[in-house]
Amino acid sequence: MACGQCSSGSCGSIGTLVSGCGSGGCSSGGCNKMNSFDWLSGMNFGKPTYKVVEIKFKGGRKEYFINKQDIELHTGDFVVCEMASGYHIGHVSLQGELVRLQLLKKGIHDTSELRVIHRLATEKDLEKHTQAINRDLPTMYRTREICKELKLNLKLSEVEFQSDNSKATFYYSADDRVDFRELIKMLASEFKVRIEMRQISLRQEAGRLGGIGSCGRELCCSTWLTDFKAIPTAAARYQNLSLNPAKLSGQCGRLKCCLNYELETYIDAIRGIPAVDKPLKTEKGNATLQKTDIFRRIMWFSYPDDTNWYPIPCSQVADIQKMNAEGKKPVGLENLMELADVPEVKTASINTDLERLDKKYKKSKKKSKTGAAPKAVAPAPRPEAKAKPQAAPAPQQEGSPEAGAKNKKRRKFRKPGGGEKPKS
């Protein structure tokens, strides 16, 4: 699944090109993390090609550079890009008119401040790039040891060396402010490079490390999610989810990003449901709200000394609230609606093929249990039974006392009005 050192395949190494999958198109989706498909590449707009190119670096980081020298580039080509100090190597992830749309989306209007693409990467450049990548893991392990020695309260998640080995960026996360001036001095003297400490959030850290979520799929933050929006606890309340931090939090320790995916649908469904702040007053007693089904628009109420829950439509709940406001009370909730009258909403089954397979295998298991079990359990007939057949009972004489007793029983249980059958 991975093309280099990391599980997500975004380590920036050239192993993907060597293995033959180009810029990343594996069926597992690991090599093409955060990639965009250029669906305008085959269209001719009659305009010169847009000179700004999107370049992707290690960890899914993307930046924009100007192709001033009009170099012929293709998606997946490794290029040498200008940096604030030195140069760095990345590969082309997007070019053409779609880059213009990406710049408008990110609010970049002045392209004159963008850096320049120097040239296509040569074999020597790629060798240096590979050597720089191979330094990342040993440097990260050594830095963690130094942080323990200095007793710094920070978590180092990743190290990225620049392709020319002149600069190293350390990505870390911390709860409080950290004084790492002594750490920078020790790192600069040991690794002989410029040190840059960059703090990232816990969600960005989880996206860089990757993993499998509770849904069984790869994390959204490590595959396609780029913008991390704030997720309030109200998102769980709107969806009637239990406020259990162990179930609602992801691998980053924060609320799951997927809580926002269906939030608007739940908010639209809740708009027509009345707010029940007080118990409903009836002649039988006060009924408190126990449960609300926002899609079927039914609310369940119960009395204090009763274990039964009574389903009532939201429209009738609003009518009862109006009656209570006027000082009136209905007789009871059980007279309004019975449980059998609740309309059942049949949801469309998604995995119909899987259900058919389950039924098929269940039937085959039942047949095997009923048919094959008696054959295995039945004991073999004993040879003594064949050798000694039972003797037939002796015929009874007509004048014996046993025959007379049997005739009396037959007369006793004979049907009324039924005579003896005529002899043929």
Side-chain angles (χ1 to χ4, degrees):
M1 181 177 178
C3 59
Q5 298 171 348
C6 58
S7 60
S8 63
S10 59
C11 59
S13 65
I14 60 174
T16 53
L17 295 180
V18 175
S19 61
C21 65
S23 61
C26 303
S27 59
S28 62
C31 295
N32 55 359
K33 173 189 171 185
M34 302 287 187
N35 273 3
S36 301
F37 179 71
D38 189 3
W39 51 275
L40 294 176
S41 59
M43 299 182 182
N44 187 10
F45 296 94
K47 299 179 182 179
T49 306
Y50 194 54
K51 291 190 176 184
V52 180
V53 182
E54 183 185 76
I55 306 297
K56 182 178 176 182
F57 300 98
K58 178 185 175 181
R61 178 171 55 90
K62 294 180 180 179
E63 294 184 14
Y64 299 95
F65 297 86
I66 300 177
N67 185 11
K68 283 189 176 181
Q69 301 179 10
D70 294 332
I71 305 171
E72 186 178 355
L73 299 175
H74 301 279
T75 303
D77 290 344
F78 281 89
V79 292
V80 179
C81 304
E82 179 188 5
M83 289 293 167
S85 60
Y87 64 89
H88 198 32
I89 293 178
H91 69 268
V92 179
S93 60
L94 194 66
Q95 57 181 341
E97 293 298 320
L98 285 181
V99 181
R100 190 195 304 271
L101 298 178
Q102 293 288 340
L103 292 178
L104 291 175
K105 180 181 178 181
K106 295 188 176 182
I108 302 175
H109 302 286
D110 189 8
T111 59
S112 60
E113 298 181 358
L114 298 178
R115 298 188 179 95
V116 183
I117 296 175
H118 290 312
R119 64 182 185 277
L120 287 170
T122 60
E123 293 184 2
K124 292 184 178 180
D125 296 331
L126 295 178
E127 288 179 3
K128 286 185 177 181
H129 180 62
T130 306
Q131 292 174 4
I133 290 173
N134 293 334
R135 294 182 64 185
D136 292 346
L137 283 178
T139 304
M140 183 176 66
Y141 296 149
R142 176 57 185 156
T143 307
R144 287 178 177 176
E145 294 177 358
I146 296 174
C147 292
K148 288 181 180 179
E149 293 175 1
L150 297 176
K151 297 181 180 181
L152 296 178
N153 189 16
L154 61 87
K155 183 181 178 181
L156 188 67
S157 59
E158 194 175 0
V159 178
E160 181 181 358
F161 273 86
Q162 204 165 277
S163 298
D164 57 356
N165 287 315
S166 63
K167 179 183 174 183
T169 305
F170 294 79
Y171 297 93
Y172 74 95
S173 59
D175 297 333
D176 302 325
R177 292 189 63 181
V178 181
D179 185 10
F180 40 75
R181 289 177 291 182
E182 188 66 25
L183 175 65
I184 291 177
K185 292 178 182 179
M186 295 181 65
L187 294 178
S189 61
E190 184 165 349
F191 299 114
K192 309 299 181 182
V193 291
R194 291 183 59 211
I195 305 299
E196 179 183 354
M197 303 294 295
R198 185 172 296 180
Q199 186 174 2
I200 58 177
S201 64
L202 294 176
R203 297 184 190 276
Q204 292 174 339
E205 180 185 354
R208 284 180 170 272
L209 297 177
I212 304 297
S214 58
C215 58
R217 304 183 65 178
E218 292 186 53
L219 298 179
C220 297
C221 54
S222 64
T223 51
W224 62 272
L225 195 63
T226 56
D227 299 330
F228 300 102
K229 298 180 180 179
I231 302 168
T233 54
R237 293 193 182 96
Y238 280 125
Q239 301 177 43
N240 292 330
L241 298 175
S242 61
L243 299 179
N244 188 355
K247 293 183 178 180
L248 296 180
S249 58
Q251 294 189 7
C252 58
R254 299 291 185 267
L255 292 177
K256 294 180 180 178
C257 298
C258 54
L259 291 175
N260 279 342
Y261 297 165
E262 299 178 355
L263 181 59
E264 295 181 358
T265 305
Y266 279 88
I267 292 175
D268 293 339
I270 289 173
R271 285 176 182 172
I273 295 178
V276 181
D277 300 331
K278 301 178 181 179
L280 298 182
K281 297 179 181 179
T282 62
E283 294 182 359
K284 189 177 178 180
N286 295 337
T288 57
L289 178 64
Q290 299 292 341
K291 177 184 172 184
T292 303
D293 192 338
I294 62 176
F295 295 108
R296 296 169 64 187
R297 311 190 77 77
I298 295 172
M299 306 176 77
W300 274 264
F301 290 85
S302 68
Y303 292 107
D305 299 333
D306 193 357
T307 58
N308 296 326
W309 290 9
Y310 301 99
I312 302 175
C314 295
S315 58
Q316 290 189 1
V317 173
D319 296 339
I320 295 173
Q321 287 179 336
K322 290 181 182 179
M323 293 175 62
N324 294 154
E326 296 173 358
K328 301 178 182 179
K329 298 180 181 179
V331 179
L333 299 180
E334 62 272 9
N335 299 327
L336 298 176
M337 190 174 191
E338 297 294 337
L339 187 62
D341 299 334
V342 177
E344 295 184 0
V345 180
K346 295 183 179 180
T347 57
S349 58
I350 300 174
N351 299 325
T352 54
D353 298 336
L354 297 177
E355 291 176 1
R356 292 173 187 170
L357 285 173
D358 292 339
K359 291 179 182 178
K360 178 181 177 182
Y361 287 115
K362 283 180 182 178
K363 289 180 181 178
S364 61
K365 287 180 180 178
K366 288 181 180 178
K367 289 181 180 178
S368 63
K369 287 180 180 179
T370 54
K375 293 181 180 179
V377 176
R382 295 180 180 179
E384 297 177 359
K386 294 182 179 179
K388 297 180 180 181
Q390 295 180 358
Q396 299 175 358
Q397 297 180 1
E398 295 181 359
S400 62
E402 295 178 2
K406 286 186 177 181
N407 290 334
K408 287 182 181 180
K409 288 182 180 180
R410 289 176 184 171
R411 290 171 190 169
K412 185 178 180 180
F413 293 101
R414 186 175 294 175
K415 294 181 180 179
E420 294 182 358
K421 295 182 180 180
K423 296 181 180 179
S424 57

